[in-house]
Amino acid sequence: MSEAKKIDWKGVDDMPEMAVSLSSMRVNKTASWRNLKPIIDYDKCKPCGICWKFCPEPAILLKEDGSPVIDYDYCKGCGICVEECPRKAITMHREER
Amino acid sequence: MMKVIMGNHALSYGAKLSRVQVIAAYPITPQTQVVELLSEMCANGELDAKFVKVESEHSAMAASIGASAVGARAFTATSAQGLALMHEMIHWAVGARTPIVLGNINRAMGPPWSIWTEQNDSLSERDTGIMQVYCESNQEVQDTVIQSFRVSEKLLLPCMVVLDAFYLSHTYEPVDIPEQSLVDEYLPAFNPPYRLDPDDPHTFGSLTDSKWYYELRYKIEVAMNKARDEWKKANEEFENLFDRGYGLVEDYKCEDADLILITSGTITGTARIAVDILREKGKKVGLLKIRVFRPFPIDEVRDVLGGAKKVACIDRNISFGHSGIFFAEVKSALYNNSNRPPIWGYIAGLGGRDVTPETVMEIVKRTEESDTPEELIWIGLKKG
């Protein structure tokens, strides 16, 4: 895979014909509109993988020991993980920017 | 090789000769035979393509877009309600600059259910940015598919090849099916400048704010404007290789004509007969067939119509609350031109009603007898 890169256009003549992204998704972080942020309480979490399975993005990744980590660069704060967690280990908090 | 085939199969042969790599389609009367034959060709190994059976026309166009985005040559075909269901994805195909060729058999929109020809289905796609070519014969249908891939891939715009339900789709005509090697010479393999590629990951068509959306729209318009010359070039080379060709428009006996008829699709052949009959009676009547509707052939329309005293446009379609659509387009092309003959607009043949040489001669007569154009005349309307 090539390096994540940001492409800058000057104007209409040097743009590609199609709406190819200005950068790859590794640069184009899509979590900017999140206003509620899910936070995992690791004392309550018994890593079952349900939040990882239900996250539509996917913005929940699993570490080698199976415990979930939220990728806040791409999490849009939909709250599905909070709804699905059987141990109520994830809660939503107002986004501070 | 000369073969007697139906209009629908002319689309299939055009796609086969173009070596399409993906066909995604859903059946609908009167289009069904187009993809039936292509699926047989895929099954018996005659055509090395992936035939994708989909659950709707929306999916057919979506799958074609995906195929085209990775660099495959994609073809689909539909009709009427199917085309309407595809509408969202046609916008997408244009914005994504995927040069898909779409065969559309003109069929009247329901309700009431109808399976017979009318152009409102394809003309409703006017403002999406897909090119549109209206065909008159089965030979033209087959050849136009091949030409369309060439022009589309050059400009990265999709193209719709349009033919009348039954009058062409189910009518058998002799068609010259050229040697594959000759078509290969004419149409090189599809090699897009951008494609979905895991080694160079990008998103295509994702959120683009007002900083760049405007420029991307402009580029579609630039491509559409280039398309007029590309169609001419593509046709010149086609003529050199295949000894036949087609223009953006085709004028018939227009040089000295006082009255010029405007037609598209199969009504053209009928009108040509009417023109011959009227010419024998000494009437100076000519005929302008509009073949390429998008991009609209503004210069050609101005050149051909400029010298006429009267123009009569026959529309097998209607933009309710305004007029026939070709009529409106022609008037718009002439408005800023110094030579502006008066134009009469006729609605005819909706829902597949027969348009005969007599219908066309009646249109000529009414135009001759009228001093000032009426906006809209429904010819042959049953009154009472």
Side-chain angles (χ1 to χ4, degrees):
Chain A
M1 211 176 267
S2 66
E3 287 290 300
K5 60 193 174 208
K6 183 124 171 73
I7 305 164
D8 286 314
W9 301 330
K10 287 196 281 297
V12 69
D13 294 331
D14 79 332
M15 290 169 72
E17 299 304 313
M18 59 186 70
V20 57
S21 55
L22 284 165
S23 59
S24 85
M25 292 308 287
R26 281 178 288 165
V27 175
N28 182 17
K29 296 183 174 158
T30 51
S32 58
W33 66 68
R34 183 180 63 229
N35 53 24
L36 287 174
K37 181 179 187 176
I39 292 173
I40 301 171
D41 179 348
Y42 287 100
D43 291 337
K44 290 187 186 167
C45 172
K46 298 279 181 214
C48 63
I50 287 179
C51 58
W52 166 78
K53 198 175 275 183
F54 276 88
C55 176
E57 200 43 49
I60 296 181
L61 310 170
L62 295 184
K63 288 198 284 195
E64 273 185 23
D65 65 357
S67 64
V69 185
I70 295 173
D71 183 344
Y72 290 113
D73 285 341
Y74 299 100
C75 166
K76 299 186 174 74
C78 70
I80 288 175
C81 54
V82 176
E83 185 70 21
E84 296 298 335
C85 177
R87 295 183 62 83
K88 306 269 178 257
I90 316 177
T91 47
M92 296 299 267
H93 302 266
R94 184 176 293 277
E95 185 70 52
E96 303 289 347
R97 288 191 202 275
Chain B
M1 177 186 56
M2 288 298 283
K3 203 170 172 180
V4 179
I5 57 172
M6 70 194 307
N8 277 343
H9 287 172
L11 274 177
S12 320
Y13 277 101
K16 177 190 178 248
L17 288 163
S18 302
R19 292 191 188 273
V20 294
Q21 292 160 300
V22 174
I23 301 143
Y26 189 84
I28 181 170
T29 301
Q31 155 267 28
T32 309
Q33 292 92 350
V34 180
V35 288
E36 247 173 22
L37 182 57
L38 283 167
S39 72
E40 276 172 32
M41 288 169 168
C42 290
N44 67 21
E46 225 180 307
L47 175 61
D48 184 18
K50 175 81 182 162
F51 191 95
V52 189
K53 286 179 281 180
V54 288
E55 71 276 32
S56 76
E57 288 84 356
H58 188 278
S59 304
M61 185 47 82
S64 302
I65 291 166
S68 189
V70 300
R73 186 170 282 159
F75 177 83
T76 184
T78 190
S79 219
Q81 320 292 128
L83 185 66
L85 186 53
M86 253 183 206
H87 174 71
E88 181 198 358
M89 287 291 109
I90 291 176
H91 274 290
W92 197 276
V94 172
R97 304 300 295 269
T98 44
I100 296 153
V101 173
L102 158 66
N104 183 67
I105 323 299
N106 274 144
R107 163 183 160 174
M109 296 296 295
W113 282 119
S114 166
I115 54 174
W116 297 279
T117 192
E118 190 189 299
Q119 297 170 327
N120 264 54
D121 58 352
S122 52
L123 291 171
S124 294
E125 303 304 327
R126 186 189 67 171
D127 300 338
T128 58
I130 192 170
M131 296 188 285
Q132 295 196 26
V133 187
Y134 288 78
C135 297
E136 184 192 343
S137 70
N138 291 355
Q139 185 73 62
E140 188 180 354
V141 168
Q142 177 203 261
D143 296 347
T144 300
V145 173
I146 299 166
Q147 292 188 343
S148 296
F149 274 113
R150 194 173 144 131
V151 176
S152 288
E153 289 170 7
K154 185 93 189 250
L155 299 164
L156 301 173
L157 284 177
C159 183
M160 173 155 46
V161 179
V162 189
L163 52 149
D164 284 301
F166 301 105
Y167 291 124
L168 212 52
S169 69
H170 287 62
T171 298
Y172 282 72
E173 292 180 337
V175 171
D176 175 29
I177 300 171
E179 290 296 319
Q180 184 65 57
S181 58
L182 210 56
V183 179
D184 290 347
E185 198 182 319
Y186 179 76
L187 184 66
F190 177 39
N191 184 23
Y194 312 98
R195 64 176 88 198
L196 281 175
D197 178 1
D199 291 331
D200 183 22
H202 284 282
T203 56
F204 289 81
S206 62
L207 191 69
T208 301
D209 64 16
S210 54
K211 189 180 172 196
W212 290 116
Y213 187 92
Y214 186 78
E215 279 70 21
L216 288 164
R217 293 287 109 172
Y218 174 77
K219 287 177 89 75
I220 294 170
E221 174 62 1
V222 168
M224 265 289 191
N225 284 327
K226 278 188 195 157
R228 294 188 186 89
D229 279 342
E230 289 301 331
W231 274 102
K232 284 183 212 161
K233 272 191 248 167
N235 192 57
E236 273 167 33
E237 273 198 48
F238 193 90
E239 274 183 347
N240 290 341
L241 281 169
F242 301 94
D243 263 349
R244 57 176 178 267
Y246 317 88
L248 293 171
V249 302
E250 286 173 30
D251 54 295
Y252 183 66
K253 300 189 177 173
C254 286
E255 296 79 22
D256 64 337
D258 292 332
L259 191 156
I260 295 178
L261 289 158
I262 298 172
T263 58
S264 59
T266 55
I267 291 179
T268 308
T270 310
R272 208 178 273 119
I273 291 168
V275 166
D276 286 345
I277 295 170
L278 293 167
R279 281 272 170 178
E280 274 177 32
K281 292 179 182 166
K283 288 187 189 296
K284 287 185 173 175
V285 181
L287 170 64
L288 175 67
K289 159 185 162 181
I290 297 181
R291 176 172 175 255
V292 177
F293 175 76
R294 277 292 179 276
F296 197 74
I298 296 170
D299 291 344
E300 287 75 8
V301 165
R302 286 177 176 174
D303 284 349
V304 175
L305 299 183
K309 295 196 180 92
K310 287 181 174 180
V311 175
C313 184
I314 308 176
D315 272 293
R316 187 171 242 154
N317 61 75
I318 168 115
S319 173
F320 295 113
H322 191 205
S323 67
I325 295 166
F326 281 83
F327 177 57
E329 294 273 333
V330 168
K331 279 197 295 183
S332 148
L334 290 178
Y335 190 79
N336 282 342
N337 203 38
S338 47
N339 295 324
R340 269 185 304 178
I343 310 181
W344 283 254
Y346 293 89
I347 304 298
L350 301 187
R353 183 170 298 181
D354 206 4
V355 176
T356 63
E358 288 70 31
T359 320
V360 178
M361 286 189 279
E362 190 191 334
I363 286 169
V364 170
K365 186 162 176 276
R366 282 189 65 161
T367 310
E368 283 173 339
E369 287 169 357
S370 169
D371 292 330
T372 45
E374 298 166 57
E375 285 301 297
L376 201 58
I377 302 157
W378 289 67
I379 202 81
L381 188 72
K382 294 183 185 100
K383 290 181 179 154

